[in-house]
Amino acid sequence: MTLAVVHSISLPPGVWAGDAVERLFTNRLDWDAHPYFQGIRGLQVSAHFFVRRSGRVLQFAATEARAWHAGVSAWRGRTNCNDWSVGIELEGLEGLHFEAPQYRALARLLRSLARRHPLREVVGHEDVAPGRKADPGPGFDWLRLARCLHGSGLAVPRVG
């Protein structure tokens, strides 16, 4: 694993808290619990980590395991990012800001991952699937993340 891919998600969109994201990532979402869920019925996705707006980090898959977070993707000419990246979902929506505790938790998580794996770069879903995905979106402060990661050896190509 040499790449971290940052995503954003909330279910239903714009609803924080609740357990719908956890249920989606563990294949336990009640598709009839909200009208929005009908449009994503049967979706099978996962991520390694989910960072709540409070900064609480939940883990859904071992970092050595493949998670289904990037879909059809490529970075620096290498395809199938799911095979060689860690997926980190932030509770939020494209275009909206993210919370200070999320940036702190994300930086701690990335530093920890970089100590255990040959992690080198942090990018957005929008970078590995341009035109198909737009998260975490313009509300995500890449410069802030880069400052939090200063000295870690992790590159944040969006600012460098």
Side-chain angles (χ1 to χ4, degrees):
M1 169 183 23
T2 60
L3 183 69
V5 180
V6 177
H7 306 261
S8 63
I9 188 171
S10 65
L11 288 176
V15 174
W16 316 139
D19 65 353
V21 172
E22 292 96 320
R23 289 182 172 281
L24 177 67
F25 290 157
T26 56
N27 297 312
R28 298 180 300 115
L29 184 63
D30 177 0
W31 304 110
D32 298 318
H34 189 277
Y36 176 81
F37 299 159
Q38 292 304 310
I40 62 169
R41 183 182 281 278
L43 183 66
Q44 293 185 314
V45 295
S46 60
H48 293 92
F49 299 95
F50 178 51
V51 182
R52 289 240 177 232
R53 296 190 72 79
S54 66
R56 182 172 172 231
V57 177
L58 304 172
Q59 185 169 1
F60 293 100
T63 53
E64 296 79 17
R66 184 180 204 257
W68 301 91
H69 62 93
V72 176
S73 54
W75 181 249
R76 300 200 188 279
R78 192 172 173 195
T79 61
N80 298 317
C81 294
N82 285 331
D83 292 342
W84 51 280
S85 68
V86 60
I88 304 171
E89 295 274 358
L90 301 178
E91 187 173 40
L93 281 177
E94 301 161 10
L96 297 183
H97 79 282
F98 294 85
E99 302 294 336
Q102 288 180 290
Y103 287 100
R104 289 191 298 270
L106 178 59
R108 277 192 308 272
L109 175 60
L110 288 166
R111 285 176 177 277
S112 175
L113 290 169
R115 286 191 293 273
R116 295 190 335 233
H117 300 284
L119 194 61
R120 294 191 302 261
E121 294 182 294
V122 184
V123 299
H125 198 187
E126 59 205 328
D127 298 312
V128 301
R132 188 176 68 80
K133 292 295 182 175
D135 60 305
F140 188 78
D141 188 343
W142 288 101
L143 184 56
R144 182 177 189 169
L145 178 62
R147 284 193 302 265
C148 290
L149 293 174
H150 181 74
S152 69
L154 289 168
V156 181
R158 282 195 165 241
V159 297

